[in-house]
mmCIF file of all heavy atoms in Angstrom:
data_model
loop_
_atom_site.group_PDB
_atom_site.id
_atom_site.type_symbol
_atom_site.label_atom_id
_atom_site.label_comp_id
_atom_site.label_asym_id
_atom_site.label_seq_id
_atom_site.Cartn_x
_atom_site.Cartn_y
_atom_site.Cartn_z
ATOM 1 N N ILE N 1 118.581 -77.311 122.769
ATOM 2 C CA ILE N 1 118.713 -78.692 123.240
ATOM 3 C C ILE N 1 118.793 -79.698 122.087
ATOM 4 O O ILE N 1 118.891 -80.889 122.315
ATOM 5 C CB ILE N 1 117.541 -79.079 124.171
ATOM 6 C CG1 ILE N 1 116.206 -79.081 123.415
ATOM 7 C CG2 ILE N 1 117.488 -78.157 125.368
ATOM 8 C CD1 ILE N 1 115.022 -79.544 124.248
ATOM 9 N N ARG N 2 118.801 -79.180 120.851
ATOM 10 C CA ARG N 2 118.830 -80.074 119.698
ATOM 11 C C ARG N 2 120.108 -79.961 118.871
ATOM 12 O O ARG N 2 120.461 -80.888 118.152
ATOM 13 C CB ARG N 2 117.643 -79.781 118.761
ATOM 14 C CG ARG N 2 116.264 -80.086 119.342
ATOM 15 C CD ARG N 2 115.189 -79.567 118.396
ATOM 16 N NE ARG N 2 113.838 -79.822 118.850
ATOM 17 C CZ ARG N 2 113.101 -80.873 118.506
ATOM 18 N NH1 ARG N 2 113.609 -81.787 117.688
ATOM 19 N NH2 ARG N 2 111.878 -81.034 118.952
ATOM 20 N N VAL N 3 120.778 -78.802 118.929
ATOM 21 C CA VAL N 3 121.853 -78.541 117.967
ATOM 22 C C VAL N 3 123.231 -78.759 118.583
ATOM 23 O O VAL N 3 123.373 -79.012 119.771
ATOM 24 C CB VAL N 3 121.755 -77.092 117.421
ATOM 25 C CG1 VAL N 3 120.473 -76.910 116.640
ATOM 26 C CG2 VAL N 3 121.838 -76.070 118.560
ATOM 27 N N SER N 4 124.236 -78.604 117.736
ATOM 28 C CA SER N 4 125.626 -78.827 118.154
ATOM 29 C C SER N 4 126.138 -77.669 119.007
ATOM 30 O O SER N 4 125.504 -76.609 119.100
ATOM 31 C CB SER N 4 126.514 -78.965 116.917
ATOM 32 O OG SER N 4 126.568 -77.716 116.237
ATOM 33 N N ASN N 5 127.314 -77.865 119.592
ATOM 34 C CA ASN N 5 127.926 -76.812 120.409
ATOM 35 C C ASN N 5 128.159 -75.539 119.613
ATOM 36 O O ASN N 5 127.961 -74.431 120.121
ATOM 37 C CB ASN N 5 129.259 -77.309 120.994
ATOM 38 C CG ASN N 5 129.060 -78.330 122.098
ATOM 39 O OD1 ASN N 5 128.046 -78.306 122.795
ATOM 40 N ND2 ASN N 5 130.014 -79.235 122.248
ATOM 41 N N THR N 6 128.592 -75.687 118.372
ATOM 42 C CA THR N 6 128.848 -74.512 117.531
ATOM 43 C C THR N 6 127.571 -73.712 117.316
ATOM 44 O O THR N 6 127.567 -72.481 117.424
ATOM 45 C CB THR N 6 129.423 -74.942 116.168
ATOM 46 O OG1 THR N 6 130.636 -75.665 116.375
ATOM 47 C CG2 THR N 6 129.686 -73.736 115.284
ATOM 48 N N ALA N 7 126.490 -74.418 117.018
ATOM 49 C CA ALA N 7 125.217 -73.737 116.803
ATOM 50 C C ALA N 7 124.696 -73.109 118.100
ATOM 51 O O ALA N 7 124.091 -72.045 118.086
ATOM 52 C CB ALA N 7 124.194 -74.710 116.237
ATOM 53 N N ARG N 8 124.940 -73.782 119.227
ATOM 54 C CA ARG N 8 124.534 -73.202 120.520
ATOM 55 C C ARG N 8 125.251 -71.886 120.768
ATOM 56 O O ARG N 8 124.655 -70.909 121.237
ATOM 57 C CB ARG N 8 124.854 -74.192 121.651
ATOM 58 C CG ARG N 8 123.909 -75.349 121.732
ATOM 59 C CD ARG N 8 124.372 -76.337 122.801
ATOM 60 N NE ARG N 8 123.701 -77.621 122.617
ATOM 61 C CZ ARG N 8 124.227 -78.792 122.904
ATOM 62 N NH1 ARG N 8 125.446 -78.860 123.390
ATOM 63 N NH2 ARG N 8 123.537 -79.898 122.719
ATOM 64 N N GLN N 9 126.526 -71.855 120.457
ATOM 65 C CA GLN N 9 127.295 -70.626 120.640
ATOM 66 C C GLN N 9 126.759 -69.508 119.755
ATOM 67 O O GLN N 9 126.716 -68.346 120.161
ATOM 68 C CB GLN N 9 128.767 -70.888 120.352
ATOM 69 C CG GLN N 9 129.444 -71.788 121.380
ATOM 70 C CD GLN N 9 130.820 -72.258 120.940
ATOM 71 O OE1 GLN N 9 131.349 -71.792 119.930
ATOM 72 N NE2 GLN N 9 131.398 -73.194 121.685
ATOM 73 N N GLU N 10 126.338 -69.884 118.537
ATOM 74 C CA GLU N 10 125.760 -68.895 117.629
ATOM 75 C C GLU N 10 124.455 -68.341 118.198
ATOM 76 O O GLU N 10 124.206 -67.131 118.164
ATOM 77 C CB GLU N 10 125.515 -69.528 116.256
ATOM 78 C CG GLU N 10 124.904 -68.578 115.237
ATOM 79 C CD GLU N 10 125.796 -67.413 114.894
ATOM 80 O OE1 GLU N 10 127.037 -67.567 114.949
ATOM 81 O OE2 GLU N 10 125.260 -66.332 114.580
ATOM 82 N N LEU N 11 123.620 -69.225 118.736
ATOM 83 C CA LEU N 11 122.367 -68.787 119.348
ATOM 84 C C LEU N 11 122.637 -67.895 120.564
ATOM 85 O O LEU N 11 121.974 -66.873 120.764
ATOM 86 C CB LEU N 11 121.532 -69.997 119.771
ATOM 87 C CG LEU N 11 120.848 -70.772 118.652
ATOM 88 C CD1 LEU N 11 120.331 -72.107 119.179
ATOM 89 C CD2 LEU N 11 119.715 -69.969 118.043
ATOM 90 N N GLU N 12 123.605 -68.305 121.351
ATOM 91 C CA GLU N 12 123.975 -67.531 122.548
ATOM 92 C C GLU N 12 124.392 -66.113 122.158
ATOM 93 O O GLU N 12 123.956 -65.127 122.762
ATOM 94 C CB GLU N 12 125.110 -68.252 123.268
ATOM 95 C CG GLU N 12 125.676 -67.497 124.457
ATOM 96 C CD GLU N 12 126.948 -68.154 124.956
ATOM 97 O OE1 GLU N 12 127.049 -69.395 124.886
ATOM 98 O OE2 GLU N 12 127.841 -67.412 125.406
ATOM 99 N N LYS N 13 125.226 -66.011 121.130
ATOM 100 C CA LYS N 13 125.720 -64.711 120.691
ATOM 101 C C LYS N 13 124.608 -63.882 120.036
ATOM 102 O O LYS N 13 124.445 -62.701 120.335
ATOM 103 C CB LYS N 13 126.872 -64.923 119.695
ATOM 104 C CG LYS N 13 127.457 -63.630 119.139
ATOM 105 C CD LYS N 13 128.660 -63.922 118.261
ATOM 106 C CE LYS N 13 128.273 -64.707 117.025
ATOM 107 N NZ LYS N 13 129.428 -64.911 116.101
ATOM 108 N N ARG N 14 123.832 -64.527 119.163
ATOM 109 C CA ARG N 14 122.821 -63.802 118.395
ATOM 110 C C ARG N 14 121.675 -63.306 119.272
ATOM 111 O O ARG N 14 121.127 -62.231 119.043
ATOM 112 C CB ARG N 14 122.277 -64.716 117.292
ATOM 113 C CG ARG N 14 121.410 -64.000 116.270
ATOM 114 C CD ARG N 14 120.950 -64.992 115.210
ATOM 115 N NE ARG N 14 122.062 -65.533 114.447
ATOM 116 C CZ ARG N 14 122.576 -64.949 113.382
ATOM 117 N NH1 ARG N 14 122.118 -63.800 112.964
ATOM 118 N NH2 ARG N 14 123.578 -65.517 112.729
ATOM 119 N N TYR N 15 121.306 -64.092 120.270
ATOM 120 C CA TYR N 15 120.140 -63.744 121.079
ATOM 121 C C TYR N 15 120.492 -63.298 122.495
ATOM 122 O O TYR N 15 119.610 -63.124 123.334
ATOM 123 C CB TYR N 15 119.159 -64.930 121.129
ATOM 124 C CG TYR N 15 118.511 -65.155 119.784
ATOM 125 C CD1 TYR N 15 119.064 -66.043 118.868
ATOM 126 C CD2 TYR N 15 117.375 -64.455 119.413
ATOM 127 C CE1 TYR N 15 118.498 -66.228 117.620
ATOM 128 C CE2 TYR N 15 116.795 -64.634 118.170
ATOM 129 C CZ TYR N 15 117.362 -65.521 117.276
ATOM 130 O OH TYR N 15 116.790 -65.699 116.039
ATOM 131 N N GLY N 16 121.784 -63.096 122.770
ATOM 132 C CA GLY N 16 122.198 -62.546 124.042
ATOM 133 C C GLY N 16 121.857 -63.414 125.232
ATOM 134 O O GLY N 16 121.507 -62.911 126.295
ATOM 135 N N MET N 17 121.959 -64.722 125.061
ATOM 136 C CA MET N 17 121.639 -65.633 126.154
ATOM 137 C C MET N 17 122.878 -65.890 127.006
ATOM 138 O O MET N 17 123.983 -66.010 126.499
ATOM 139 C CB MET N 17 121.100 -66.951 125.613
ATOM 140 C CG MET N 17 119.849 -66.795 124.773
ATOM 141 S SD MET N 17 119.227 -68.390 124.217
ATOM 142 C CE MET N 17 118.597 -69.041 125.762
ATOM 143 N N ALA N 18 122.671 -65.968 128.312
ATOM 144 C CA ALA N 18 123.786 -66.213 129.219
ATOM 145 C C ALA N 18 124.353 -67.607 128.979
ATOM 146 O O ALA N 18 123.600 -68.572 128.849
ATOM 147 C CB ALA N 18 123.309 -66.092 130.665
ATOM 148 N N PRO N 19 125.668 -67.744 128.925
ATOM 149 C CA PRO N 19 126.278 -69.053 128.680
ATOM 150 C C PRO N 19 125.851 -70.115 129.680
ATOM 151 O O PRO N 19 125.670 -71.277 129.311
ATOM 152 C CB PRO N 19 127.782 -68.759 128.797
ATOM 153 C CG PRO N 19 127.907 -67.309 128.462
ATOM 154 C CD PRO N 19 126.666 -66.665 129.009
ATOM 155 N N ASP N 20 125.685 -69.715 130.969
ATOM 156 C CA ASP N 20 125.323 -70.733 131.951
ATOM 157 C C ASP N 20 123.929 -71.290 131.684
ATOM 158 O O ASP N 20 123.657 -72.469 131.881
ATOM 159 C CB ASP N 20 125.409 -70.175 133.375
ATOM 160 C CG ASP N 20 124.526 -68.960 133.592
ATOM 161 O OD1 ASP N 20 124.110 -68.345 132.600
ATOM 162 O OD2 ASP N 20 124.269 -68.620 134.767
ATOM 163 N N PHE N 21 123.029 -70.424 131.183
ATOM 164 C CA PHE N 21 121.681 -70.902 130.865
ATOM 165 C C PHE N 21 121.715 -71.845 129.665
ATOM 166 O O PHE N 21 121.074 -72.897 129.657
ATOM 167 C CB PHE N 21 120.767 -69.716 130.582
ATOM 168 C CG PHE N 21 119.359 -70.114 130.217
ATOM 169 C CD1 PHE N 21 118.563 -70.809 131.110
ATOM 170 C CD2 PHE N 21 118.828 -69.784 128.973
ATOM 171 C CE1 PHE N 21 117.276 -71.181 130.787
ATOM 172 C CE2 PHE N 21 117.538 -70.143 128.644
ATOM 173 C CZ PHE N 21 116.755 -70.842 129.546
ATOM 174 N N VAL N 22 122.503 -71.481 128.656
ATOM 175 C CA VAL N 22 122.645 -72.340 127.473
ATOM 176 C C VAL N 22 123.224 -73.689 127.877
ATOM 177 O O VAL N 22 122.753 -74.740 127.446
ATOM 178 C CB VAL N 22 123.548 -71.663 126.421
ATOM 179 C CG1 VAL N 22 123.845 -72.616 125.273
ATOM 180 C CG2 VAL N 22 122.891 -70.398 125.885
ATOM 181 N N ASN N 23 124.233 -73.670 128.731
ATOM 182 C CA ASN N 23 124.872 -74.916 129.152
ATOM 183 C C ASN N 23 123.919 -75.803 129.954
ATOM 184 O O ASN N 23 123.933 -77.027 129.819
ATOM 185 C CB ASN N 23 126.119 -74.609 129.976
ATOM 186 C CG ASN N 23 127.218 -73.994 129.129
ATOM 187 O OD1 ASN N 23 127.236 -74.183 127.916
ATOM 188 N ND2 ASN N 23 128.108 -73.239 129.758
ATOM 189 N N VAL N 24 123.112 -75.172 130.797
ATOM 190 C CA VAL N 24 122.145 -75.947 131.585
ATOM 191 C C VAL N 24 121.158 -76.642 130.663
ATOM 192 O O VAL N 24 120.860 -77.834 130.807
ATOM 193 C CB VAL N 24 121.403 -75.038 132.593
ATOM 194 C CG1 VAL N 24 120.177 -75.748 133.149
ATOM 195 C CG2 VAL N 24 122.324 -74.658 133.733
ATOM 196 N N LEU N 25 120.650 -75.894 129.689
ATOM 197 C CA LEU N 25 119.701 -76.485 128.732
ATOM 198 C C LEU N 25 120.329 -77.666 128.005
ATOM 199 O O LEU N 25 119.737 -78.741 127.905
ATOM 200 C CB LEU N 25 119.256 -75.436 127.714
ATOM 201 C CG LEU N 25 118.163 -74.452 128.129
ATOM 202 C CD1 LEU N 25 117.979 -73.403 127.042
ATOM 203 C CD2 LEU N 25 116.856 -75.178 128.381
ATOM 204 N N ALA N 26 121.529 -77.434 127.497
ATOM 205 C CA ALA N 26 122.190 -78.475 126.709
ATOM 206 C C ALA N 26 122.492 -79.702 127.553
ATOM 207 O O ALA N 26 122.249 -80.833 127.138
ATOM 208 C CB ALA N 26 123.473 -77.912 126.099
ATOM 209 N N GLN N 27 123.027 -79.462 128.739
ATOM 210 C CA GLN N 27 123.397 -80.590 129.597
ATOM 211 C C GLN N 27 122.176 -81.414 129.985
ATOM 212 O O GLN N 27 122.207 -82.655 129.955
ATOM 213 C CB GLN N 27 124.091 -80.068 130.867
ATOM 214 C CG GLN N 27 124.569 -81.183 131.791
ATOM 215 C CD GLN N 27 125.246 -80.622 133.035
ATOM 216 O OE1 GLN N 27 125.410 -79.413 133.170
ATOM 217 N NE2 GLN N 27 125.628 -81.511 133.921
ATOM 218 N N GLU N 28 121.100 -80.748 130.346
ATOM 219 C CA GLU N 28 119.914 -81.488 130.761
ATOM 220 C C GLU N 28 119.321 -82.270 129.594
ATOM 221 O O GLU N 28 118.809 -83.388 129.765
ATOM 222 C CB GLU N 28 118.881 -80.532 131.352
ATOM 223 C CG GLU N 28 119.329 -79.948 132.685
ATOM 224 C CD GLU N 28 118.210 -79.245 133.415
ATOM 225 O OE1 GLU N 28 117.077 -79.229 132.900
ATOM 226 O OE2 GLU N 28 118.468 -78.713 134.501
ATOM 227 N N ALA N 29 119.385 -81.687 128.405
ATOM 228 C CA ALA N 29 118.864 -82.398 127.236
ATOM 229 C C ALA N 29 119.713 -83.624 126.940
ATOM 230 O O ALA N 29 119.183 -84.713 126.700
ATOM 231 C CB ALA N 29 118.863 -81.465 126.034
ATOM 232 N N GLU N 30 121.020 -83.442 126.974
ATOM 233 C CA GLU N 30 121.916 -84.546 126.645
ATOM 234 C C GLU N 30 121.789 -85.688 127.640
ATOM 235 O O GLU N 30 122.018 -86.838 127.316
ATOM 236 C CB GLU N 30 123.356 -84.026 126.595
ATOM 237 C CG GLU N 30 123.617 -83.138 125.383
ATOM 238 C CD GLU N 30 124.857 -82.283 125.560
ATOM 239 O OE1 GLU N 30 125.513 -82.400 126.612
ATOM 240 O OE2 GLU N 30 125.150 -81.496 124.638
ATOM 241 N N ASN N 31 121.475 -85.392 128.863
ATOM 242 C CA ASN N 31 121.330 -86.423 129.892
ATOM 243 C C ASN N 31 119.901 -86.934 130.033
ATOM 244 O O ASN N 31 119.572 -87.647 130.973
ATOM 245 C CB ASN N 31 121.807 -85.882 131.244
ATOM 246 C CG ASN N 31 123.287 -85.599 131.260
ATOM 247 O OD1 ASN N 31 124.033 -86.227 130.517
ATOM 248 N ND2 ASN N 31 123.707 -84.662 132.082
#
């Protein structure tokens, strides 16, 4: 919820997180 889209994608790939979960976190933080 703190980093850029590029870094989120890196976290998603490195830690095997589902994209929809990452997007929910990011969207809620941004709003």
Side-chain angles (χ1 to χ4, degrees):
I1 65 176
R2 294 172 179 266
V3 296
S4 67
N5 288 331
T6 301
R8 285 175 197 148
Q9 291 169 8
E10 180 64 30
L11 286 167
E12 175 190 326
K13 179 175 65 176
R14 191 179 296 274
Y15 291 92
M17 301 182 72
D20 58 342
F21 179 62
V22 173
N23 291 337
V24 166
L25 279 174
Q27 183 180 357
E28 291 192 1
E30 289 162 1
N31 294 333

